[in-house]
Amino acid sequence: KSTPLPSPTPPLNCPAPARRFFANPFYSCVNNYYVATTGNDSNPGTQANPWLTLQHADSAGSGRVAGDCVNVAPGTYTAGVQPTHGGNLASATGYVVYRCQTLDGCKITASGGNADPAFNISSTGSGPNYLVLDGFELAASTMTLYGVGVELYFPNGADTGGETSHHIWVLNNIIHGYGQAGVGTGGGDYNYFLHNLAYNNTNVACSAQGSGFGIRRSPRLYRIHSHCRRPRLGPVPQRHRVERRPRPTSLTSAGPP
């Protein structure tokens, strides 16, 4: 009598959002601002009196600058952010950081892309640069045709052949439910995607099929590391497409390792 083979089990170290990595980030906060579902955008953005929206956090006052951290309280947010301000240096205090206060406890339900940004950086090379998104769940409430969870691209999706933004770190996020891609980039430099989990994306129509992680025409350096893909939830499998470019001979300008 033959013995049935055991069912395969996923590896115990299957990478996804990493608590240790989240608890010990490479960046440091000089100034802290706060967003909460109970906040108000007329507040000063302190912990006791937080703002309501991430978009307001980007532009409040004179806008965020290097060393600023936007700390987002757990909860569900119907709108994400299209940053217009960033940092200025690849150093621990050179970034503008959007960070959930509890790992993956902040859910953004925007459908993504230019129309309804979840985390959307739109640039023709003038910034914003030096940005971090750490510890969110991006969960589109509606899977729209050109929805992208994390998008780093040209304005209005028109590839102008130039460069977009550089030194963007996407860390410890769960990204699902987007019609075109979980992450979609083009033309950017020194962009990093570490310890993210993407599933059930690019599932609307052939004309909008992208990837779980779609990276194209990156002229210098990007890194994808330690991603986990869940089994597909529907008839269309998760797609991963990466177009690689040569790495520079020196990484000294690439930011923290």
Side-chain angles (χ1 to χ4, degrees), residues 181-232:
V183 174
T185 79
D189 296 335
Y190 303 107
N191 296 325
Y192 301 82
F193 308 94
L194 309 177
H195 288 281
N196 297 286
L197 169 63
Y199 66 96
N200 200 32
N201 298 296
T202 183
N203 200 8
V204 175
C206 291
S207 62
Q209 282 185 356
S211 305
F213 286 82
I215 298 177
R216 59 184 297 271
R217 214 173 54 73
S218 181
R220 295 193 181 92
L221 174 69
Y222 66 86
R223 289 179 180 170
I224 297 182
H225 176 67
S226 298
H227 291 293
C228 204
R229 187 182 68 171
R230 285 182 180 173
R232 61 189 175 100

mmCIF file of all heavy atoms in Angstrom, residues 181-232:
data_model
loop_
_atom_site.group_PDB
_atom_site.id
_atom_site.type_symbol
_atom_site.label_atom_id
_atom_site.label_comp_id
_atom_site.label_asym_id
_atom_site.label_seq_id
_atom_site.Cartn_x
_atom_site.Cartn_y
_atom_site.Cartn_z
ATOM 1 N N ALA A 181 -2.217 47.011 -11.696
ATOM 2 C CA ALA A 181 -0.993 46.511 -11.066
ATOM 3 C C ALA A 181 -1.001 46.806 -9.579
ATOM 4 O O ALA A 181 -1.582 47.798 -9.135
ATOM 5 C CB ALA A 181 0.241 47.147 -11.709
ATOM 6 N N GLY A 182 -0.333 45.945 -8.828
ATOM 7 C CA GLY A 182 -0.091 46.256 -7.428
ATOM 8 C C GLY A 182 0.889 47.403 -7.311
ATOM 9 O O GLY A 182 0.665 48.375 -6.593
ATOM 10 N N VAL A 183 2.008 47.285 -8.043
ATOM 11 C CA VAL A 183 3.015 48.338 -8.131
ATOM 12 C C VAL A 183 3.335 48.545 -9.608
ATOM 13 O O VAL A 183 3.560 47.576 -10.339
ATOM 14 C CB VAL A 183 4.305 47.964 -7.377
ATOM 15 C CG1 VAL A 183 5.395 49.006 -7.608
ATOM 16 C CG2 VAL A 183 4.037 47.811 -5.880
ATOM 17 N N GLY A 184 3.345 49.782 -10.057
ATOM 18 C CA GLY A 184 3.705 50.086 -11.432
ATOM 19 C C GLY A 184 4.626 51.292 -11.483
ATOM 20 O O GLY A 184 4.313 52.334 -10.912
ATOM 21 N N THR A 185 5.781 51.152 -12.126
ATOM 22 C CA THR A 185 6.727 52.260 -12.194
ATOM 23 C C THR A 185 7.262 52.407 -13.611
ATOM 24 O O THR A 185 7.205 51.475 -14.420
ATOM 25 C CB THR A 185 7.929 52.048 -11.250
ATOM 26 O OG1 THR A 185 8.853 51.126 -11.856
ATOM 27 C CG2 THR A 185 7.497 51.508 -9.909
ATOM 28 N N GLY A 186 7.838 53.556 -13.873
ATOM 29 C CA GLY A 186 8.495 53.788 -15.149
ATOM 30 C C GLY A 186 9.400 55.005 -15.063
ATOM 31 O O GLY A 186 9.008 56.048 -14.534
ATOM 32 N N GLY A 187 10.615 54.872 -15.557
ATOM 33 C CA GLY A 187 11.513 56.005 -15.665
ATOM 34 C C GLY A 187 12.193 56.438 -14.384
ATOM 35 O O GLY A 187 12.935 57.424 -14.380
ATOM 36 N N GLY A 188 11.961 55.743 -13.257
ATOM 37 C CA GLY A 188 12.512 56.192 -11.985
ATOM 38 C C GLY A 188 13.878 55.611 -11.697
ATOM 39 O O GLY A 188 14.308 54.627 -12.295
ATOM 40 N N ASP A 189 14.588 56.231 -10.767
ATOM 41 C CA ASP A 189 15.923 55.806 -10.356
ATOM 42 C C ASP A 189 15.930 55.430 -8.876
ATOM 43 O O ASP A 189 15.223 56.026 -8.075
ATOM 44 C CB ASP A 189 16.937 56.935 -10.533
ATOM 45 C CG ASP A 189 17.118 57.347 -11.974
ATOM 46 O OD1 ASP A 189 16.868 56.503 -12.848
ATOM 47 O OD2 ASP A 189 17.501 58.503 -12.214
ATOM 48 N N TYR A 190 16.752 54.477 -8.519
ATOM 49 C CA TYR A 190 17.023 54.153 -7.114
ATOM 50 C C TYR A 190 15.725 53.957 -6.323
ATOM 51 O O TYR A 190 15.473 54.604 -5.313
ATOM 52 C CB TYR A 190 17.893 55.240 -6.469
ATOM 53 C CG TYR A 190 19.192 55.440 -7.196
ATOM 54 C CD1 TYR A 190 19.416 56.558 -7.974
ATOM 55 C CD2 TYR A 190 20.193 54.475 -7.130
ATOM 56 C CE1 TYR A 190 20.602 56.729 -8.670
ATOM 57 C CE2 TYR A 190 21.386 54.629 -7.811
ATOM 58 C CZ TYR A 190 21.580 55.753 -8.580
ATOM 59 O OH TYR A 190 22.749 55.914 -9.272
ATOM 60 N N ASN A 191 14.903 53.060 -6.816
ATOM 61 C CA ASN A 191 13.643 52.747 -6.162
ATOM 62 C C ASN A 191 13.714 51.345 -5.573
ATOM 63 O O ASN A 191 14.248 50.430 -6.200
ATOM 64 C CB ASN A 191 12.488 52.858 -7.156
ATOM 65 C CG ASN A 191 12.314 54.274 -7.671
ATOM 66 O OD1 ASN A 191 12.534 55.219 -6.920
ATOM 67 N ND2 ASN A 191 11.925 54.435 -8.926
ATOM 68 N N TYR A 192 13.177 51.179 -4.374
ATOM 69 C CA TYR A 192 13.349 49.954 -3.601
ATOM 70 C C TYR A 192 11.990 49.424 -3.161
ATOM 71 O O TYR A 192 11.144 50.175 -2.669
ATOM 72 C CB TYR A 192 14.205 50.240 -2.357
ATOM 73 C CG TYR A 192 15.570 50.782 -2.673
ATOM 74 C CD1 TYR A 192 15.746 52.140 -2.943
ATOM 75 C CD2 TYR A 192 16.682 49.948 -2.701
ATOM 76 C CE1 TYR A 192 17.003 52.645 -3.241
ATOM 77 C CE2 TYR A 192 17.945 50.444 -2.985
ATOM 78 C CZ TYR A 192 18.096 51.797 -3.259
ATOM 79 O OH TYR A 192 19.333 52.296 -3.563
ATOM 80 N N PHE A 193 11.783 48.121 -3.320
ATOM 81 C CA PHE A 193 10.537 47.467 -2.929
ATOM 82 C C PHE A 193 10.925 46.270 -2.065
ATOM 83 O O PHE A 193 11.373 45.249 -2.573
ATOM 84 C CB PHE A 193 9.751 47.038 -4.169
ATOM 85 C CG PHE A 193 9.561 48.160 -5.149
ATOM 86 C CD1 PHE A 193 10.446 48.327 -6.202
ATOM 87 C CD2 PHE A 193 8.524 49.053 -4.996
ATOM 88 C CE1 PHE A 193 10.294 49.364 -7.094
ATOM 89 C CE2 PHE A 193 8.349 50.098 -5.896
ATOM 90 C CZ PHE A 193 9.242 50.261 -6.947
ATOM 91 N N LEU A 194 10.742 46.399 -0.751
ATOM 92 C CA LEU A 194 11.249 45.411 0.191
ATOM 93 C C LEU A 194 10.133 44.917 1.104
ATOM 94 O O LEU A 194 9.385 45.701 1.683
ATOM 95 C CB LEU A 194 12.371 46.004 1.055
ATOM 96 C CG LEU A 194 13.512 46.715 0.313
ATOM 97 C CD1 LEU A 194 14.499 47.311 1.307
ATOM 98 C CD2 LEU A 194 14.234 45.749 -0.611
ATOM 99 N N HIS A 195 10.036 43.607 1.242
ATOM 100 C CA HIS A 195 9.112 42.966 2.186
ATOM 101 C C HIS A 195 7.670 43.416 1.967
ATOM 102 O O HIS A 195 6.989 43.872 2.886
ATOM 103 C CB HIS A 195 9.554 43.224 3.624
ATOM 104 C CG HIS A 195 10.780 42.464 4.017
ATOM 105 N ND1 HIS A 195 10.761 41.134 4.363
ATOM 106 C CD2 HIS A 195 12.074 42.837 4.078
ATOM 107 C CE1 HIS A 195 11.989 40.724 4.634
ATOM 108 N NE2 HIS A 195 12.802 41.741 4.458
ATOM 109 N N ASN A 196 7.197 43.271 0.738
ATOM 110 C CA ASN A 196 5.801 43.549 0.415
ATOM 111 C C ASN A 196 5.099 42.253 0.008
ATOM 112 O O ASN A 196 5.738 41.302 -0.438
ATOM 113 C CB ASN A 196 5.705 44.561 -0.721
ATOM 114 C CG ASN A 196 6.297 45.903 -0.351
ATOM 115 O OD1 ASN A 196 5.710 46.665 0.413
ATOM 116 N ND2 ASN A 196 7.473 46.200 -0.885
ATOM 117 N N LEU A 197 3.792 42.251 0.148
ATOM 118 C CA LEU A 197 2.961 41.132 -0.283
ATOM 119 C C LEU A 197 1.921 41.670 -1.264
ATOM 120 O O LEU A 197 1.155 42.578 -0.930
ATOM 121 C CB LEU A 197 2.273 40.491 0.914
ATOM 122 C CG LEU A 197 1.171 39.463 0.624
ATOM 123 C CD1 LEU A 197 1.735 38.267 -0.119
ATOM 124 C CD2 LEU A 197 0.521 39.027 1.929
ATOM 125 N N ALA A 198 1.913 41.147 -2.498
ATOM 126 C CA ALA A 198 0.945 41.593 -3.502
ATOM 127 C C ALA A 198 0.164 40.389 -4.010
ATOM 128 O O ALA A 198 0.751 39.350 -4.315
ATOM 129 C CB ALA A 198 1.658 42.281 -4.658
ATOM 130 N N TYR A 199 -1.147 40.528 -4.130
ATOM 131 C CA TYR A 199 -1.960 39.441 -4.651
ATOM 132 C C TYR A 199 -3.269 39.993 -5.198
ATOM 133 O O TYR A 199 -3.704 41.091 -4.857
ATOM 134 C CB TYR A 199 -2.236 38.384 -3.585
ATOM 135 C CG TYR A 199 -3.104 38.847 -2.434
ATOM 136 C CD1 TYR A 199 -4.481 38.608 -2.420
ATOM 137 C CD2 TYR A 199 -2.551 39.503 -1.341
ATOM 138 C CE1 TYR A 199 -5.280 39.012 -1.379
ATOM 139 C CE2 TYR A 199 -3.340 39.922 -0.285
ATOM 140 C CZ TYR A 199 -4.699 39.678 -0.308
ATOM 141 O OH TYR A 199 -5.491 40.095 0.737
ATOM 142 N N ASN A 200 -3.886 39.194 -6.091
ATOM 143 C CA ASN A 200 -5.194 39.520 -6.660
ATOM 144 C C ASN A 200 -5.219 40.899 -7.318
ATOM 145 O O ASN A 200 -6.141 41.688 -7.134
ATOM 146 C CB ASN A 200 -6.283 39.434 -5.583
ATOM 147 C CG ASN A 200 -7.669 39.270 -6.196
ATOM 148 O OD1 ASN A 200 -7.817 38.667 -7.251
ATOM 149 N ND2 ASN A 200 -8.680 39.802 -5.527
ATOM 150 N N ASN A 201 -4.176 41.205 -8.091
ATOM 151 C CA ASN A 201 -4.139 42.423 -8.887
ATOM 152 C C ASN A 201 -4.205 42.057 -10.376
ATOM 153 O O ASN A 201 -4.241 40.895 -10.730
ATOM 154 C CB ASN A 201 -2.851 43.202 -8.595
ATOM 155 C CG ASN A 201 -2.759 43.633 -7.145
ATOM 156 O OD1 ASN A 201 -3.561 44.412 -6.654
ATOM 157 N ND2 ASN A 201 -1.758 43.108 -6.436
ATOM 158 N N THR A 202 -4.192 43.081 -11.234
ATOM 159 C CA THR A 202 -4.218 42.955 -12.704
ATOM 160 C C THR A 202 -5.239 41.920 -13.169
ATOM 161 O O THR A 202 -4.914 40.922 -13.792
ATOM 162 C CB THR A 202 -2.811 42.658 -13.264
ATOM 163 O OG1 THR A 202 -2.885 42.615 -14.685
ATOM 164 C CG2 THR A 202 -2.180 41.419 -12.716
ATOM 165 N N ASN A 203 -6.501 42.209 -12.896
ATOM 166 C CA ASN A 203 -7.542 41.191 -13.069
ATOM 167 C C ASN A 203 -8.816 41.772 -13.676
ATOM 168 O O ASN A 203 -9.901 41.340 -13.350
ATOM 169 C CB ASN A 203 -7.852 40.580 -11.690
ATOM 170 C CG ASN A 203 -8.521 39.231 -11.789
ATOM 171 O OD1 ASN A 203 -8.634 38.651 -12.858
ATOM 172 N ND2 ASN A 203 -8.990 38.731 -10.659
ATOM 173 N N VAL A 204 -8.659 42.774 -14.571
ATOM 174 C CA VAL A 204 -9.849 43.433 -15.114
ATOM 175 C C VAL A 204 -10.026 43.153 -16.595
ATOM 176 O O VAL A 204 -10.983 42.515 -17.011
ATOM 177 C CB VAL A 204 -9.804 44.958 -14.861
ATOM 178 C CG1 VAL A 204 -10.990 45.647 -15.528
ATOM 179 C CG2 VAL A 204 -9.833 45.243 -13.375
ATOM 180 N N ALA A 205 -9.089 43.632 -17.429
ATOM 181 C CA ALA A 205 -9.237 43.471 -18.876
ATOM 182 C C ALA A 205 -7.863 43.427 -19.522
ATOM 183 O O ALA A 205 -6.891 43.946 -18.985
ATOM 184 C CB ALA A 205 -10.051 44.624 -19.459
ATOM 185 N N CYS A 206 -7.793 42.823 -20.683
ATOM 186 C CA CYS A 206 -6.503 42.681 -21.363
ATOM 187 C C CYS A 206 -5.867 44.031 -21.663
ATOM 188 O O CYS A 206 -4.647 44.176 -21.651
ATOM 189 C CB CYS A 206 -6.672 41.902 -22.662
ATOM 190 S SG CYS A 206 -7.077 40.155 -22.408
ATOM 191 N N SER A 207 -6.672 45.039 -21.946
ATOM 192 C CA SER A 207 -6.127 46.348 -22.295
ATOM 193 C C SER A 207 -5.446 47.027 -21.121
ATOM 194 O O SER A 207 -4.722 47.996 -21.298
ATOM 195 C CB SER A 207 -7.244 47.260 -22.802
ATOM 196 O OG SER A 207 -8.214 47.474 -21.796
ATOM 197 N N ALA A 208 -5.663 46.533 -19.900
ATOM 198 C CA ALA A 208 -5.087 47.167 -18.721
ATOM 199 C C ALA A 208 -4.243 46.206 -17.895
ATOM 200 O O ALA A 208 -3.940 46.489 -16.758
ATOM 201 C CB ALA A 208 -6.195 47.753 -17.849
ATOM 202 N N GLN A 209 -3.888 45.077 -18.467
ATOM 203 C CA GLN A 209 -3.146 44.116 -17.662
ATOM 204 C C GLN A 209 -1.715 44.587 -17.464
ATOM 205 O O GLN A 209 -0.996 44.853 -18.418
ATOM 206 C CB GLN A 209 -3.159 42.739 -18.319
ATOM 207 C CG GLN A 209 -4.479 42.025 -18.108
ATOM 208 C CD GLN A 209 -4.475 40.627 -18.651
ATOM 209 O OE1 GLN A 209 -3.514 40.204 -19.260
ATOM 210 N NE2 GLN A 209 -5.552 39.897 -18.416
ATOM 211 N N GLY A 210 -1.338 44.704 -16.210
ATOM 212 C CA GLY A 210 0.016 45.070 -15.857
ATOM 213 C C GLY A 210 0.680 43.923 -15.142
ATOM 214 O O GLY A 210 0.799 42.839 -15.693
ATOM 215 N N SER A 211 1.042 44.136 -13.891
ATOM 216 C CA SER A 211 1.754 43.112 -13.143
ATOM 217 C C SER A 211 1.477 43.268 -11.664
ATOM 218 O O SER A 211 1.011 44.308 -11.213
ATOM 219 C CB SER A 211 3.264 43.249 -13.368
ATOM 220 O OG SER A 211 3.582 43.217 -14.733
ATOM 221 N N GLY A 212 1.816 42.209 -10.919
ATOM 222 C CA GLY A 212 1.881 42.386 -9.476
ATOM 223 C C GLY A 212 2.884 43.474 -9.164
ATOM 224 O O GLY A 212 2.612 44.427 -8.437
ATOM 225 N N PHE A 213 4.081 43.321 -9.758
ATOM 226 C CA PHE A 213 5.119 44.353 -9.709
ATOM 227 C C PHE A 213 5.583 44.583 -11.137
ATOM 228 O O PHE A 213 6.232 43.717 -11.723
ATOM 229 C CB PHE A 213 6.294 43.907 -8.832
ATOM 230 C CG PHE A 213 5.990 43.945 -7.367
ATOM 231 C CD1 PHE A 213 5.297 42.902 -6.768
ATOM 232 C CD2 PHE A 213 6.362 45.027 -6.592
ATOM 233 C CE1 PHE A 213 4.987 42.928 -5.420
ATOM 234 C CE2 PHE A 213 6.055 45.056 -5.246
ATOM 235 C CZ PHE A 213 5.363 44.014 -4.656
ATOM 236 N N GLY A 214 5.240 45.725 -11.712
ATOM 237 C CA GLY A 214 5.625 46.036 -13.077
ATOM 238 C C GLY A 214 6.593 47.194 -13.088
ATOM 239 O O GLY A 214 6.223 48.308 -12.714
ATOM 240 N N ILE A 215 7.834 46.951 -13.510
ATOM 241 C CA ILE A 215 8.862 47.990 -13.505
ATOM 242 C C ILE A 215 9.458 48.063 -14.896
ATOM 243 O O ILE A 215 9.970 47.062 -15.409
ATOM 244 C CB ILE A 215 9.957 47.681 -12.465
ATOM 245 C CG1 ILE A 215 9.337 47.645 -11.073
ATOM 246 C CG2 ILE A 215 11.066 48.719 -12.527
ATOM 247 C CD1 ILE A 215 10.296 47.274 -9.986
ATOM 248 N N ARG A 216 9.414 49.207 -15.503
ATOM 249 C CA ARG A 216 9.901 49.330 -16.864
ATOM 250 C C ARG A 216 10.750 50.589 -17.031
ATOM 251 O O ARG A 216 10.533 51.598 -16.373
ATOM 252 C CB ARG A 216 8.736 49.359 -17.857
ATOM 253 C CG ARG A 216 7.739 50.486 -17.635
ATOM 254 C CD ARG A 216 6.569 50.375 -18.600
ATOM 255 N NE ARG A 216 6.991 50.514 -19.972
ATOM 256 C CZ ARG A 216 7.068 51.683 -20.596
ATOM 257 N NH1 ARG A 216 6.782 52.797 -19.945
ATOM 258 N NH2 ARG A 216 7.442 51.733 -21.855
ATOM 259 N N ARG A 217 11.720 50.495 -17.908
ATOM 260 C CA ARG A 217 12.567 51.600 -18.293
ATOM 261 C C ARG A 217 13.132 52.340 -17.096
ATOM 262 O O ARG A 217 13.080 53.547 -16.983
ATOM 263 C CB ARG A 217 11.806 52.575 -19.198
ATOM 264 C CG ARG A 217 12.700 53.211 -20.224
ATOM 265 C CD ARG A 217 11.925 54.022 -21.213
ATOM 266 N NE ARG A 217 11.072 55.008 -20.561
ATOM 267 C CZ ARG A 217 11.531 56.106 -19.981
ATOM 268 N NH1 ARG A 217 12.823 56.348 -19.916
ATOM 269 N NH2 ARG A 217 10.691 56.952 -19.451
ATOM 270 N N SER A 218 13.701 51.581 -16.170
ATOM 271 C CA SER A 218 14.382 52.187 -15.032
ATOM 272 C C SER A 218 15.848 52.359 -15.401
ATOM 273 O O SER A 218 16.583 51.384 -15.530
ATOM 274 C CB SER A 218 14.253 51.284 -13.801
ATOM 275 O OG SER A 218 14.879 51.875 -12.691
ATOM 276 N N PRO A 219 16.330 53.583 -15.617
ATOM 277 C CA PRO A 219 17.649 53.761 -16.203
ATOM 278 C C PRO A 219 18.812 53.439 -15.293
ATOM 279 O O PRO A 219 19.911 53.200 -15.770
ATOM 280 C CB PRO A 219 17.648 55.244 -16.594
ATOM 281 C CG PRO A 219 16.617 55.885 -15.743
ATOM 282 C CD PRO A 219 15.591 54.840 -15.459
ATOM 283 N N ARG A 220 18.609 53.422 -13.988
ATOM 284 C CA ARG A 220 19.753 53.168 -13.123
ATOM 285 C C ARG A 220 19.503 51.955 -12.228
ATOM 286 O O ARG A 220 19.754 50.847 -12.630
ATOM 287 C CB ARG A 220 20.097 54.420 -12.311
ATOM 288 C CG ARG A 220 20.571 55.574 -13.208
ATOM 289 C CD ARG A 220 21.193 56.682 -12.394
ATOM 290 N NE ARG A 220 21.606 57.778 -13.243
ATOM 291 C CZ ARG A 220 20.869 58.829 -13.531
ATOM 292 N NH1 ARG A 220 19.666 58.924 -13.026
ATOM 293 N NH2 ARG A 220 21.304 59.784 -14.320
ATOM 294 N N LEU A 221 18.990 52.176 -11.050
ATOM 295 C CA LEU A 221 18.924 51.079 -10.094
ATOM 296 C C LEU A 221 17.546 50.957 -9.480
ATOM 297 O O LEU A 221 16.925 51.943 -9.112
ATOM 298 C CB LEU A 221 19.945 51.299 -8.966
ATOM 299 C CG LEU A 221 19.903 50.298 -7.805
ATOM 300 C CD1 LEU A 221 20.370 48.934 -8.256
ATOM 301 C CD2 LEU A 221 20.742 50.791 -6.640
ATOM 302 N N TYR A 222 17.063 49.750 -9.396
ATOM 303 C CA TYR A 222 15.936 49.454 -8.536
ATOM 304 C C TYR A 222 16.230 48.115 -7.887
ATOM 305 O O TYR A 222 17.042 47.336 -8.366
ATOM 306 C CB TYR A 222 14.611 49.392 -9.328
ATOM 307 C CG TYR A 222 14.553 48.254 -10.305
ATOM 308 C CD1 TYR A 222 14.127 47.000 -9.900
ATOM 309 C CD2 TYR A 222 14.955 48.432 -11.630
ATOM 310 C CE1 TYR A 222 14.090 45.946 -10.786
ATOM 311 C CE2 TYR A 222 14.913 47.369 -12.522
ATOM 312 C CZ TYR A 222 14.486 46.140 -12.094
ATOM 313 O OH TYR A 222 14.459 45.090 -12.963
ATOM 314 N N ARG A 223 15.565 47.845 -6.797
ATOM 315 C CA ARG A 223 15.716 46.556 -6.125
ATOM 316 C C ARG A 223 14.348 46.037 -5.726
ATOM 317 O O ARG A 223 13.550 46.748 -5.146
ATOM 318 C CB ARG A 223 16.593 46.691 -4.875
ATOM 319 C CG ARG A 223 18.060 46.942 -5.183
ATOM 320 C CD ARG A 223 18.865 47.088 -3.910
ATOM 321 N NE ARG A 223 20.265 47.320 -4.222
ATOM 322 C CZ ARG A 223 21.178 47.674 -3.318
ATOM 323 N NH1 ARG A 223 20.829 47.839 -2.067
ATOM 324 N NH2 ARG A 223 22.436 47.866 -3.665
ATOM 325 N N ILE A 224 14.107 44.789 -6.066
ATOM 326 C CA ILE A 224 12.937 44.075 -5.547
ATOM 327 C C ILE A 224 13.486 42.956 -4.687
ATOM 328 O O ILE A 224 14.323 42.178 -5.127
ATOM 329 C CB ILE A 224 12.081 43.488 -6.672
ATOM 330 C CG1 ILE A 224 11.522 44.624 -7.542
ATOM 331 C CG2 ILE A 224 10.936 42.678 -6.098
ATOM 332 C CD1 ILE A 224 10.641 44.126 -8.648
ATOM 333 N N HIS A 225 13.027 42.872 -3.465
ATOM 334 C CA HIS A 225 13.596 41.888 -2.548
ATOM 335 C C HIS A 225 12.526 41.393 -1.595
ATOM 336 O O HIS A 225 11.709 42.161 -1.098
ATOM 337 C CB HIS A 225 14.727 42.531 -1.747
ATOM 338 C CG HIS A 225 15.317 41.628 -0.706
ATOM 339 N ND1 HIS A 225 16.023 40.503 -1.023
ATOM 340 C CD2 HIS A 225 15.285 41.697 0.649
ATOM 341 C CE1 HIS A 225 16.431 39.911 0.088
ATOM 342 N NE2 HIS A 225 15.984 40.606 1.113
ATOM 343 N N SER A 226 12.529 40.109 -1.354
ATOM 344 C CA SER A 226 11.723 39.499 -0.303
ATOM 345 C C SER A 226 10.243 39.795 -0.450
ATOM 346 O O SER A 226 9.620 40.408 0.402
ATOM 347 C CB SER A 226 12.220 39.972 1.074
ATOM 348 O OG SER A 226 13.540 39.567 1.286
ATOM 349 N N HIS A 227 9.681 39.352 -1.561
ATOM 350 C CA HIS A 227 8.251 39.482 -1.757
ATOM 351 C C HIS A 227 7.603 38.112 -1.679
ATOM 352 O O HIS A 227 8.187 37.105 -2.037
ATOM 353 C CB HIS A 227 7.940 40.119 -3.110
ATOM 354 C CG HIS A 227 8.351 41.551 -3.156
ATOM 355 N ND1 HIS A 227 7.738 42.508 -2.408
ATOM 356 C CD2 HIS A 227 9.350 42.162 -3.828
ATOM 357 C CE1 HIS A 227 8.320 43.661 -2.630
ATOM 358 N NE2 HIS A 227 9.305 43.476 -3.477
ATOM 359 N N CYS A 228 6.376 38.109 -1.227
ATOM 360 C CA CYS A 228 5.617 36.883 -1.110
ATOM 361 C C CYS A 228 4.368 37.021 -1.954
ATOM 362 O O CYS A 228 3.756 38.079 -1.977
ATOM 363 C CB CYS A 228 5.227 36.668 0.356
ATOM 364 S SG CYS A 228 4.911 34.960 0.784
ATOM 365 N N ARG A 229 4.008 35.953 -2.645
ATOM 366 C CA ARG A 229 2.799 35.974 -3.460
ATOM 367 C C ARG A 229 1.857 34.896 -2.962
ATOM 368 O O ARG A 229 2.188 33.721 -2.942
ATOM 369 C CB ARG A 229 3.144 35.737 -4.923
ATOM 370 C CG ARG A 229 1.947 35.919 -5.835
ATOM 371 C CD ARG A 229 2.319 35.623 -7.278
ATOM 372 N NE ARG A 229 2.612 34.206 -7.460
ATOM 373 C CZ ARG A 229 2.791 33.644 -8.647
ATOM 374 N NH1 ARG A 229 2.764 34.377 -9.724
ATOM 375 N NH2 ARG A 229 3.050 32.343 -8.746
ATOM 376 N N ARG A 230 0.675 35.294 -2.568
ATOM 377 C CA ARG A 230 -0.326 34.329 -2.119
ATOM 378 C C ARG A 230 -0.882 33.563 -3.310
ATOM 379 O O ARG A 230 -0.845 34.035 -4.440
ATOM 380 C CB ARG A 230 -1.476 35.050 -1.410
ATOM 381 C CG ARG A 230 -1.124 35.529 -0.022
ATOM 382 C CD ARG A 230 -2.334 36.169 0.617
ATOM 383 N NE ARG A 230 -2.026 36.632 1.960
ATOM 384 C CZ ARG A 230 -2.864 37.357 2.693
ATOM 385 N NH1 ARG A 230 -4.028 37.692 2.216
ATOM 386 N NH2 ARG A 230 -2.525 37.742 3.899
ATOM 387 N N PRO A 231 -1.452 32.375 -3.063
ATOM 388 C CA PRO A 231 -2.137 31.675 -4.156
ATOM 389 C C PRO A 231 -3.222 32.555 -4.741
ATOM 390 O O PRO A 231 -3.870 33.315 -4.035
ATOM 391 C CB PRO A 231 -2.721 30.437 -3.470
ATOM 392 C CG PRO A 231 -1.891 30.254 -2.248
ATOM 393 C CD PRO A 231 -1.482 31.631 -1.806
ATOM 394 N N ARG A 232 -3.433 32.439 -6.048
ATOM 395 C CA ARG A 232 -4.414 33.288 -6.698
ATOM 396 C C ARG A 232 -5.811 33.011 -6.159
ATOM 397 O O ARG A 232 -6.159 31.879 -5.821
ATOM 398 C CB ARG A 232 -4.370 33.093 -8.209
ATOM 399 C CG ARG A 232 -4.665 31.700 -8.714
ATOM 400 C CD ARG A 232 -4.359 31.643 -10.204
ATOM 401 N NE ARG A 232 -4.507 30.297 -10.747
ATOM 402 C CZ ARG A 232 -5.572 29.913 -11.412
ATOM 403 N NH1 ARG A 232 -6.575 30.741 -11.579
ATOM 404 N NH2 ARG A 232 -5.636 28.697 -11.911
#
